[in-house]
Amino acid sequence: MHAQNLDAVLDPRAVAVIGASRSPQTIGHQILVNLLQHGFTGPVFPVNPHAAAVHGVKAYPRIGDVPDPVDLAVISVPRDLVLPVAHECADAGVRGLVVITAGFREVGPEGARLEEQLTRLVRERGIRMVGPNCMGVLNTDPAVSMNATFAPIQPPAGRAAFVSQSGALGLSVLDYAKEYGIGIAQFVSVGNKPDVSGNDLLVQWEHDDRVDTILMYVENFGNPARFREIASRIAKRKPIVVLKSGRSTVGARAASSHTGALAARDDAVDALLAQSGVLRATSIEELFDMAMAFTEQPLPRSRRAAILTNSGGPGILVADAMEPHGLELVELSPATVQQLRPLFPPEASLRNPLDMIASATPSGYRAALEALLADDVVDAVVSIFVPPLGVRQVDVAEAIVAAAQTRRDKPVLSVLMGRDGLPEGRAELHQAGIPAFIFPESAARALAALVRHREYREREVHRIEHIAVDRERAAAALEEARADGREWLDAIEALDLLTAYGIDVAPARLARSPAEAAECAADIGWPVALKVVSRDIVHKTDVGGIALELHDAAEVLEEAQAMLARIAKAAPDARIDGLLVQRMVQGGTEMIAGVARDPLFGPLIMFGLGGIWVEALEDVVFRVAPFDATEAEHMVDTFRGARILRGMRSQPPADRAALVDVLLRLSQLAVDFPGIAELDINPLMALEDGAVAADARVRLGRVAG
């Protein structure tokens, strides 16, 4: 059934409104009025057993009394009547339902039971259903012209499709679309989505030539793996922008490892969207900033941009907003500066941002923008106008449009500040497909969205390769701990698990006494680190359970005795399993890599700055496993402190390929063994040649690996 398309819902030939009322204050009346007033191209049939006509249109007592075939029935009746009405629709051959009525799963067990019965019916009868608890559907295609919502707003027609999990937010969205001049192709309020979901709509819109951009408001992901599969494919052709509310369900459980604790934020959602090539908005305003960017603008060829302004302050604000997004304000070429110099007074700044000062005229805007677009080092321009006396916004808007038409391969975004004449100026720009923002920061966000979408489209996609590992050895390490009833692997088992999956570990041995620790150290080689092994101690440094740079047996013996004394005082109830003696890894940068498991999203792999920095800075990135080498490379390159790995001052660059390899092996390990609930490699030493795990913690979950 789910292979069916949604034409009966989005492109119906005839619509019935069941519950169409003669009272203007009712939802059923408003839906009928919207269908009629906005010119639905097919017949509309009101269904009301108590009225001969509604809004001047002949009404029918039941859907079965309608003489013509009906593709879509919009149901707005009391909750207890929805199921009988749906049965009547099925018997009448209706292929699509939009159930406006609320009071189902969202209100409790009784509502959930009714929703299950309704869902079972539509699935058995091959009907597609939007809702219940929704505000309807809309299609502005002139061949359809259907507004089957109760919204008092008709957005402008366009090429953006929008799916909302909230009816109330849907109303706001349609209102904003009209204000911002964003054309809507189709709008669907999915409500409780027991049948038609956001994933279904993505599939529907993937090959719909009427849809260029997909916007989504999401409260939860019913099937994240399916979303990732669909969205990552679509995002290679069409931008998808998601506004996601709420927190990941991983936050509902306690986490013992760094990876698990950090994943308890919203990182599962961030990882899913990043891997899928989806742009995430954090507010409705940001959602529409991005939507405006994808109207008719080309994608920039690089991150290199220029700013044109008649006021220094707003230009600086745009520059400040660009920097966190990684956009580059390039130095203009000498030829461009020479071309601009005679056009502006000496007070003007012919750098980037290019500040023409307040005396700039519309002709000055046009000449400057044409020069910037012609400069080979510039791949995008943000043009800002603050209205001085005597210059009209609409004249400047016309100049920007004229200049932008000289180079249609480079995006132009605009910022029109001030209210006087703003609607006229924005309308002029929007009509030409140039997004016009009120605030400088909005333009920076929009340009960044264009850049990220281009970069995702150009990113290579590789098949996920299966790495040769010793799976039996890994399983043995896990089974030994599980057989003992232990939740945590001991230090040697954890390192052995990593070794089985081809991850280099610093040589280590477990000693049961200070004297044995000294003997082990002599065998391993100097210098060594000494670490307490205890299932009751999460952070060894907090209890004095780590000693570094020990260079002889006497030093090891003395430090081991002192360490046990410190721990006995700091954590008297902790069970001590022994002392780990490990060869010190010389040089390198302390990183962290790990595994956490989200009940909905599955295994998450983490990477970022390790050691004490993981707690102090929380500079980490997550991805949902499994993933390919390109995604692993993106993880290594995109955490905030990634520059450290490229080499700074006297420190050589880290072995990027080795770090990527570790992440790919962790990804496979997490998928192969669902019983691993949490895993930390901290620190993972990023070396000039290789990457070595210096410490590891592994916690088992309830699922057997």
Side-chain angles (χ1 to χ4, degrees), residues 61 94 105 143 148 150 187 239 266 396 467 487 490 554 664:
V94 175
R105 187 179 70 230
F150 56 83
F187 169 84
D266 202 21
V396 172
I467 304 169
E487 184 181 20
D490 66 33
L664 291 174

PDB file of all heavy atoms in Angstrom, residues 61 94 105 143 148 150 187 239 266 396 467 487 490 554 664:
ATOM      1  N   PRO A  61     -26.582  13.869   1.700  1.00  0.00           N
ATOM      2  CA  PRO A  61     -26.645  13.372   3.085  1.00  0.00           C
ATOM      3  C   PRO A  61     -25.444  12.497   3.458  1.00  0.00           C
ATOM      4  O   PRO A  61     -24.943  12.579   4.578  1.00  0.00           O
ATOM      5  CB  PRO A  61     -27.946  12.554   3.113  1.00  0.00           C
ATOM      6  CG  PRO A  61     -28.723  13.024   1.944  1.00  0.00           C
ATOM      7  CD  PRO A  61     -27.729  13.445   0.903  1.00  0.00           C
ATOM      8  N   VAL A  94     -13.692   6.035  -2.512  1.00  0.00           N
ATOM      9  CA  VAL A  94     -12.804   7.183  -2.283  1.00  0.00           C
ATOM     10  C   VAL A  94     -11.382   6.672  -2.060  1.00  0.00           C
ATOM     11  O   VAL A  94     -11.161   5.731  -1.290  1.00  0.00           O
ATOM     12  CB  VAL A  94     -13.279   8.012  -1.070  1.00  0.00           C
ATOM     13  CG1 VAL A  94     -12.289   9.121  -0.756  1.00  0.00           C
ATOM     14  CG2 VAL A  94     -14.662   8.583  -1.341  1.00  0.00           C
ATOM     15  N   ARG A 105      -4.856   9.809  18.947  1.00  0.00           N
ATOM     16  CA  ARG A 105      -3.729   9.362  19.772  1.00  0.00           C
ATOM     17  C   ARG A 105      -3.212  10.451  20.695  1.00  0.00           C
ATOM     18  O   ARG A 105      -2.713  10.172  21.791  1.00  0.00           O
ATOM     19  CB  ARG A 105      -2.602   8.876  18.848  1.00  0.00           C
ATOM     20  CG  ARG A 105      -1.428   8.237  19.585  1.00  0.00           C
ATOM     21  CD  ARG A 105      -0.375   7.764  18.611  1.00  0.00           C
ATOM     22  NE  ARG A 105       0.320   8.877  17.976  1.00  0.00           N
ATOM     23  CZ  ARG A 105       0.503   8.999  16.675  1.00  0.00           C
ATOM     24  NH1 ARG A 105       0.011   8.096  15.851  1.00  0.00           N
ATOM     25  NH2 ARG A 105       1.171  10.018  16.172  1.00  0.00           N
ATOM     26  N   ALA A 143      -3.476  23.796 -12.576  1.00  0.00           N
ATOM     27  CA  ALA A 143      -4.272  22.676 -13.064  1.00  0.00           C
ATOM     28  C   ALA A 143      -5.087  22.023 -11.955  1.00  0.00           C
ATOM     29  O   ALA A 143      -5.997  21.241 -12.232  1.00  0.00           O
ATOM     30  CB  ALA A 143      -3.361  21.636 -13.706  1.00  0.00           C
ATOM     31  N   ALA A 148      -7.578  22.812   0.372  1.00  0.00           N
ATOM     32  CA  ALA A 148      -8.429  21.996   1.234  1.00  0.00           C
ATOM     33  C   ALA A 148      -7.936  22.094   2.667  1.00  0.00           C
ATOM     34  O   ALA A 148      -7.708  21.091   3.347  1.00  0.00           O
ATOM     35  CB  ALA A 148      -8.439  20.556   0.752  1.00  0.00           C
ATOM     36  N   PHE A 150      -8.293  24.752   6.420  1.00  0.00           N
ATOM     37  CA  PHE A 150      -9.154  25.759   7.051  1.00  0.00           C
ATOM     38  C   PHE A 150      -8.379  27.033   7.353  1.00  0.00           C
ATOM     39  O   PHE A 150      -8.799  27.861   8.145  1.00  0.00           O
ATOM     40  CB  PHE A 150      -9.837  25.214   8.309  1.00  0.00           C
ATOM     41  CG  PHE A 150      -8.911  24.674   9.362  1.00  0.00           C
ATOM     42  CD1 PHE A 150      -8.299  25.511  10.282  1.00  0.00           C
ATOM     43  CD2 PHE A 150      -8.661  23.315   9.450  1.00  0.00           C
ATOM     44  CE1 PHE A 150      -7.460  25.016  11.268  1.00  0.00           C
ATOM     45  CE2 PHE A 150      -7.817  22.801  10.430  1.00  0.00           C
ATOM     46  CZ  PHE A 150      -7.215  23.657  11.342  1.00  0.00           C
ATOM     47  N   PHE A 187       1.281  22.127   0.159  1.00  0.00           N
ATOM     48  CA  PHE A 187       1.391  22.173   1.621  1.00  0.00           C
ATOM     49  C   PHE A 187       0.576  21.021   2.189  1.00  0.00           C
ATOM     50  O   PHE A 187      -0.557  20.787   1.766  1.00  0.00           O
ATOM     51  CB  PHE A 187       0.866  23.502   2.168  1.00  0.00           C
ATOM     52  CG  PHE A 187       0.695  23.510   3.667  1.00  0.00           C
ATOM     53  CD1 PHE A 187       1.764  23.780   4.497  1.00  0.00           C
ATOM     54  CD2 PHE A 187      -0.541  23.224   4.242  1.00  0.00           C
ATOM     55  CE1 PHE A 187       1.611  23.768   5.874  1.00  0.00           C
ATOM     56  CE2 PHE A 187      -0.704  23.220   5.609  1.00  0.00           C
ATOM     57  CZ  PHE A 187       0.377  23.492   6.438  1.00  0.00           C
ATOM     58  N   PRO A 239      17.106  21.069  -2.546  1.00  0.00           N
ATOM     59  CA  PRO A 239      17.390  21.365  -1.143  1.00  0.00           C
ATOM     60  C   PRO A 239      16.222  20.977  -0.244  1.00  0.00           C
ATOM     61  O   PRO A 239      15.055  21.143  -0.612  1.00  0.00           O
ATOM     62  CB  PRO A 239      17.616  22.876  -1.134  1.00  0.00           C
ATOM     63  CG  PRO A 239      16.885  23.375  -2.338  1.00  0.00           C
ATOM     64  CD  PRO A 239      16.958  22.291  -3.358  1.00  0.00           C
ATOM     65  N   ASP A 266      21.055  16.976  21.351  1.00  0.00           N
ATOM     66  CA  ASP A 266      20.253  16.803  20.144  1.00  0.00           C
ATOM     67  C   ASP A 266      21.121  16.314  18.992  1.00  0.00           C
ATOM     68  O   ASP A 266      20.813  16.530  17.833  1.00  0.00           O
ATOM     69  CB  ASP A 266      19.614  18.161  19.791  1.00  0.00           C
ATOM     70  CG  ASP A 266      18.380  18.017  18.927  1.00  0.00           C
ATOM     71  OD1 ASP A 266      17.789  16.929  18.914  1.00  0.00           O
ATOM     72  OD2 ASP A 266      18.022  18.984  18.257  1.00  0.00           O
ATOM     73  N   VAL A 396      16.818  51.562  -6.055  1.00  0.00           N
ATOM     74  CA  VAL A 396      17.997  50.735  -5.771  1.00  0.00           C
ATOM     75  C   VAL A 396      17.707  49.282  -6.111  1.00  0.00           C
ATOM     76  O   VAL A 396      18.559  48.574  -6.673  1.00  0.00           O
ATOM     77  CB  VAL A 396      18.417  50.884  -4.295  1.00  0.00           C
ATOM     78  CG1 VAL A 396      19.514  49.879  -3.945  1.00  0.00           C
ATOM     79  CG2 VAL A 396      18.900  52.302  -4.023  1.00  0.00           C
ATOM     80  N   ILE A 467      35.043  -3.989   6.208  1.00  0.00           N
ATOM     81  CA  ILE A 467      36.456  -4.089   6.577  1.00  0.00           C
ATOM     82  C   ILE A 467      36.724  -5.472   7.160  1.00  0.00           C
ATOM     83  O   ILE A 467      35.931  -5.986   7.965  1.00  0.00           O
ATOM     84  CB  ILE A 467      36.818  -2.995   7.607  1.00  0.00           C
ATOM     85  CG1 ILE A 467      36.479  -1.609   7.050  1.00  0.00           C
ATOM     86  CG2 ILE A 467      38.287  -3.077   7.985  1.00  0.00           C
ATOM     87  CD1 ILE A 467      36.560  -0.505   8.089  1.00  0.00           C
ATOM     88  N   GLU A 487      28.565  -5.394  33.479  1.00  0.00           N
ATOM     89  CA  GLU A 487      28.101  -4.378  32.538  1.00  0.00           C
ATOM     90  C   GLU A 487      29.270  -3.764  31.786  1.00  0.00           C
ATOM     91  O   GLU A 487      29.130  -3.361  30.630  1.00  0.00           O
ATOM     92  CB  GLU A 487      27.331  -3.289  33.294  1.00  0.00           C
ATOM     93  CG  GLU A 487      26.716  -2.231  32.393  1.00  0.00           C
ATOM     94  CD  GLU A 487      25.989  -1.152  33.177  1.00  0.00           C
ATOM     95  OE1 GLU A 487      26.274  -1.006  34.390  1.00  0.00           O
ATOM     96  OE2 GLU A 487      25.154  -0.457  32.585  1.00  0.00           O
ATOM     97  N   ASP A 490      36.541  -5.041  31.277  1.00  0.00           N
ATOM     98  CA  ASP A 490      37.713  -4.508  31.975  1.00  0.00           C
ATOM     99  C   ASP A 490      38.649  -3.871  30.947  1.00  0.00           C
ATOM    100  O   ASP A 490      38.419  -3.942  29.737  1.00  0.00           O
ATOM    101  CB  ASP A 490      38.409  -5.587  32.809  1.00  0.00           C
ATOM    102  CG  ASP A 490      39.048  -6.699  31.975  1.00  0.00           C
ATOM    103  OD1 ASP A 490      39.523  -6.432  30.854  1.00  0.00           O
ATOM    104  OD2 ASP A 490      39.076  -7.854  32.459  1.00  0.00           O
ATOM    105  N   ALA A 554      61.391   1.290  39.954  1.00  0.00           N
ATOM    106  CA  ALA A 554      61.229   1.863  41.291  1.00  0.00           C
ATOM    107  C   ALA A 554      60.162   2.949  41.288  1.00  0.00           C
ATOM    108  O   ALA A 554      59.345   3.053  42.216  1.00  0.00           O
ATOM    109  CB  ALA A 554      62.566   2.427  41.779  1.00  0.00           C
ATOM    110  N   LEU A 664      35.723   4.505  10.649  1.00  0.00           N
ATOM    111  CA  LEU A 664      35.056   3.484   9.842  1.00  0.00           C
ATOM    112  C   LEU A 664      35.011   2.145  10.574  1.00  0.00           C
ATOM    113  O   LEU A 664      34.007   1.414  10.506  1.00  0.00           O
ATOM    114  CB  LEU A 664      35.768   3.325   8.501  1.00  0.00           C
ATOM    115  CG  LEU A 664      35.634   4.513   7.534  1.00  0.00           C
ATOM    116  CD1 LEU A 664      36.511   4.293   6.308  1.00  0.00           C
ATOM    117  CD2 LEU A 664      34.183   4.710   7.112  1.00  0.00           C
TER     118      LEU A 664
END
